[in-house]
Amino acid sequence: RRCYWRWLAIVTDGGGWMSDYDVFPLSLNGEMGLALEQSGTFTSYAHHVPCLIHASEKEWDRILHLMIELLPNSPEEVYERVTDMYSLLNIDIEQGRSGMQWTSEVAPHFTYHRNEEGWQWMDCNFGWKHIAIHLSHHSCAEAFKTDHYPEIDDVDSDTHGLPDNWQQAVQRRSEAALKVMDDYKEYCMPTSSW
């Protein structure tokens, strides 16, 4: 139920931007945000994952009502976990896009790679294609498992600067986010933009 409270809050507050706490800007800044909000259309910047959304109050209210209409009526009707993410997906499945705009402008995972010599590097080209990055529990665990998690500890250690396991990777994602932001600023942004 809690994931729906924020929807009620944003409708009550007059619409606007809603972001998960684990979304971090890449190219998104105040100027771009003001330009994007000129459209009152309900826009999810990560497809059906409601991690960064903007809409007018009217659009927030309309989509919230569609979500409520599609909620299961009984426990027997529940096939997936009941969350706002699955509710958005269900709208698309049951009624089509319904006037929503979905983009892929939020990166769903880290932008790091490792070369054959073991050196980690940030893929600026990937970052430049996105306005923000979503460091969800899932993306942190997957990044650790596939060796795309940022080196947040001393690189000379036995773990090559990585947490010991994927659970620690998820727990330490705030440190990973700081590393992403610092590396993106240092390696991917022209100095004139900051």
Side-chain angles (χ1 to χ4, degrees):
R1 287 186 230 158
R2 292 183 191 163
C3 64
Y4 294 95
W5 293 353
R6 63 187 185 159
W7 291 73
L8 294 169
I10 201 84
V11 169
T12 303
D13 197 41
W17 287 97
M18 180 176 77
S19 174
D20 280 357
Y21 66 89
D22 53 5
V23 171
F24 300 91
L26 294 175
S27 63
L28 181 63
N29 58 28
E31 194 172 297
M32 180 187 287
L34 288 171
L36 291 172
E37 71 181 25
Q38 295 305 309
S39 165
T41 302
F42 184 95
T43 305
S44 174
Y45 293 91
H47 296 279
H48 70 282
V49 179
C51 64
L52 184 63
I53 298 174
H54 181 272
S56 67
E57 177 182 6
K58 182 179 175 183
E59 281 291 283
W60 276 106
D61 189 56
R62 184 179 72 81
I63 298 301
L64 179 59
H65 278 85
L66 287 174
M67 290 167 71
I68 291 168
E69 288 172 16
L70 292 175
L71 285 173
N73 293 317
S74 67
E76 293 80 31
E77 294 180 18
V78 177
Y79 302 107
E80 295 281 347
R81 291 177 36 201
V82 179
T83 66
D84 55 349
M85 181 176 79
Y86 288 115
S87 290
L88 272 182
L89 186 57
N90 284 338
I91 291 172
D92 192 51
I93 291 168
E94 297 291 327
Q95 300 181 3
R97 201 53 48 93
S98 300
M100 294 183 287
Q101 181 178 351
W102 289 2
T103 76
S104 57
E105 294 176 75
V106 172
H109 54 79
F110 286 97
T111 60
Y112 291 97
H113 299 284
R114 193 173 299 281
N115 66 19
E116 292 176 8
E117 292 81 35
W119 293 100
Q120 190 176 68
W121 58 278
M122 177 173 268
D123 184 352
C124 294
N125 287 324
F126 178 79
W128 293 331
K129 296 175 186 173
H130 299 89
I131 62 173
I133 186 169
H134 185 205
L135 303 183
S136 66
H137 291 82
H138 175 75
S139 67
C140 287
E142 287 302 307
F144 181 82
K145 293 173 186 176
T146 60
D147 200 23
H148 290 90
Y149 197 86
E151 298 169 339
I152 56 177
D153 289 327
D154 181 11
V155 178
D156 295 330
S157 70
D158 291 339
T159 61
H160 302 287
L162 298 170
D164 294 330
N165 55 53
W166 70 265
Q167 293 94 340
Q168 280 187 10
V170 171
Q171 291 171 349
R172 297 184 65 190
R173 64 189 168 148
S174 62
E175 295 169 74
L178 288 172
K179 176 75 170 152
V180 168
M181 300 293 285
D182 288 345
D183 286 353
Y184 192 78
K185 181 178 177 183
E186 182 175 349
Y187 301 115
C188 302
M189 291 178 68
T191 55
S192 61
S193 65
W194 47 275

